[in-house]
Amino acid sequence: MTAPPTTDRLLKPENLIGRTRLGDSEYRSVVRLLNWLGRVRAADVAHPRVRLWGVPAFYALGGIPALVRAAQDSGPAFVLMLAVTAGYTVPLLWRRQRPALVFTVLVVLSEACLFLRVDSGSSATQLVALLNLGRFGPPGQLAVGVVYNLLQTFVSIAFFNGLKGSDRGASTPVLAFLAVVAILSMAALGLAGKLVNAYIEALQEHAVRLERERDQRAQLAAATERARVAREMHDILGHTLAVIVGLAGGAAGLAETKPKRGADTLRIIAESGRGALAELRRLLAVIHDDEPGDTPLAPQPGLADLGALMDRVRAAGPAAALRLEGELIGLAQGLQLAVYRIVQEALTNTLKHAAPNTTVEVTVAADPEAVHVTVEDTGPHRSPGAADQGKGLVGMRERAALYGGQVAAGPNSRGGWTVRALLVPTPTAPDLTERHPA
């Protein structure tokens, strides 16, 4: 038995991306890219400290030139620049857990540096804080951060441009444009990262739900099959035991007066028992169909087997007559099985309550719209409440319901019991044609 697909397997790019709108080469390129991104993401998840410490270290390297210049000026300038560089980089260690707090700290630090006219190469970490605010913070905080960064950028450019004179004024529009592009790009990347993570989580939940639903469907199918097997066993055992009990009672009386008939009756009992065992083996093989075996396949009983069924009833004592009307040959095998089991269960009930002079008549009539089944015996009398007792009538009703029909049972005018079933062989009815190991 193959193992069920895991969530990671269901989320592989080749399982999520179809070829409908992509050519073969484009499809392979997209799958390779997504696989590479998946490996990068898996490595990041496996080693989270690499990115956690790598980003602050990278921006700390950007502040080295400013530290060198400050060291050449004076000792206090170097200490100040060292503190500014640490202030820009160290808070990034909490950029995922506290994105809004980190962004606020960097904004305050950048305002202080602007006031003190301190320019550090690590000041770009404010964009990293904005990116993580978009990924891990609510959209409202991201909008506030973008607006504040834009205003701060315009004020800073205007301030430094005024200090340096009008000869640098020509570069102001370019600087403003690049700053706006950088801010909006970081915000967009952060928001896109949030959406991608949400989409991946939704895919994972969907995959898990599909696996759970698949397991539930398998369990329901197994339960349905067990119920079907239990119903089949009830039909087989109930009918066969009723026949055997009736025959055994007759054989006991014939053993002394008519030994030959008594021996024939015993042979019929043995044949009935062997037939019941064969059917039970076939049904049990359905439950263990995953085990190899050399048991041949045999069809389920149909209308052609009603004659043998009636012979067993006659051998048990009651006089039994079978009448077939209409076009019955072309009925589906599943419908024939349902008719056979309904007749079998009704005859089993007759045998359970049969008197010495009981007679039973079975009529199966087919017309273009429905199949009518009637099983009528002459007694003895049974109370109307008996119609709702036991699994037999429930099983008959379930079989009839599969074909849009119904079953009614109750006392008749002849002092006995009548079972009437209606089955509708519509095109939408389930086809229960089966071949099981015999």
Side-chain angles (χ1 to χ4, degrees), residues 31 52 220-221 281 293 337 341 358 382 400 431:
V31 169
L52 178 64
L220 288 175
R281 291 193 188 99
L337 172 62
R341 293 305 187 195
T358 296
R382 279 171 273 172
D431 187 5

Side-chain angles (χ1 to χ4, degrees), residues 225-353:
E225 182 66 11
R226 286 194 294 268
R228 187 192 69 81
V229 171
R231 188 167 59 246
E232 293 288 336
M233 287 184 175
H234 172 266
D235 294 342
I236 295 168
L237 291 178
H239 174 76
T240 304
L241 290 177
V243 171
I244 289 176
V245 169
L247 289 174
L254 294 174
E256 297 180 357
T257 58
K258 297 180 180 179
K260 186 177 184 304
R261 287 196 60 186
D264 293 338
T265 302
L266 292 175
R267 280 192 291 271
I268 294 174
I269 292 175
E271 291 175 0
S272 298
R274 281 193 294 270
L277 287 176
E279 289 199 59
L280 287 176
R281 291 193 188 99
R282 179 175 65 228
L283 292 175
L284 292 174
V286 174
I287 302 177
H288 303 287
D289 57 358
D290 55 338
E291 299 178 0
D294 55 356
T295 307
L297 296 178
Q300 290 278 28
L303 297 182
D305 300 289
L306 287 177
L309 180 64
M310 301 302 291
D311 291 339
R312 291 198 295 269
V313 173
R314 295 188 191 100
L322 173 64
R323 186 170 61 215
L324 303 178
E325 301 176 356
E327 296 293 333
L328 301 173
I329 299 178
L331 296 180
Q333 182 63 32
L335 181 59
Q336 293 189 36
L337 172 62
V339 172
Y340 180 90
R341 293 305 187 195
I342 290 174
V343 173
Q344 183 185 47
E345 180 59 36
L347 292 176
T348 299
N349 292 333
T350 296
L351 290 174
K352 288 179 180 178
H353 304 89

Side-chain angles (χ1 to χ4, degrees), residues 325-327 331 365-372 423-427:
E325 301 176 356
E327 296 293 333
L331 296 180
D367 56 43
E369 297 181 354
V371 176
H372 304 268
L423 298 91
V424 182
T426 60

Side-chain angles (χ1 to χ4, degrees), residues 20 85 101 172 189 299 316 335 348 413 415 418:
T20 306
T85 303
L101 178 61
T172 300
L189 286 175
L335 181 59
T348 299
S413 58
T418 299

